[in-house]
């Protein structure tokens, strides 16, 4: 069973569009969109396991320039 999660992203001012584009190019990311509200970008990603998710998706997302904070929300049912 794969692991799926939404990641809520806060960015530096004016960086939402470039962050959404950058994270959408990461393997495992299924969608990334700019939004309004307390977060600037919301993305969804999946991976074969939680360990793989952390190593391949989260680590790459957190390395994207312009991100100030992330909140990962694992999906509990499919």
């Amino acid at each position: 069973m794969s692991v799926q999660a939404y990641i809520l992203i806060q960015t530096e001012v004016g960086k939402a569009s470039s962050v959404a584009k950058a994270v959408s190019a990461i393997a495992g990311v299924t969608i990334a969109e700019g939004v309004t509200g307390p977060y600037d970008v919301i993305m969804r990603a999946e991976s074969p396991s939680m360990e793989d998710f952390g190593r391949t998706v989260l680590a790459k997302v957190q390395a994207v320039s312009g991100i100030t904070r992330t909140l990962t929300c694992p999906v509990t049912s499919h």
Side-chain angles (χ1 to χ4, degrees):
M1 180 168 81
S2 69
V3 173
Q4 298 178 13
Y6 288 95
I7 300 176
L8 312 178
I9 302 170
Q10 291 179 336
T11 70
E12 296 171 359
V13 175
K15 298 284 187 174
S17 180
S18 62
V19 166
K21 185 175 181 178
V23 298
S24 67
I26 295 170
V29 174
T30 56
I31 190 166
E33 296 182 303
V35 296
T36 60
Y39 292 92
D40 303 302
V41 176
I42 295 178
M43 57 168 278
R44 183 172 174 138
E46 61 184 337
S47 191
S49 69
M50 188 54 91
E51 180 182 327
D52 191 55
F53 190 88
R55 186 176 61 249
T56 61
V57 178
L58 283 180
K60 291 178 182 174
V61 167
Q62 293 172 343
V64 171
S65 178
I67 292 178
T68 58
R69 173 178 279 167
T70 63
L71 175 66
T72 303
C73 305
V75 173
T76 58
S77 63
H78 299 138

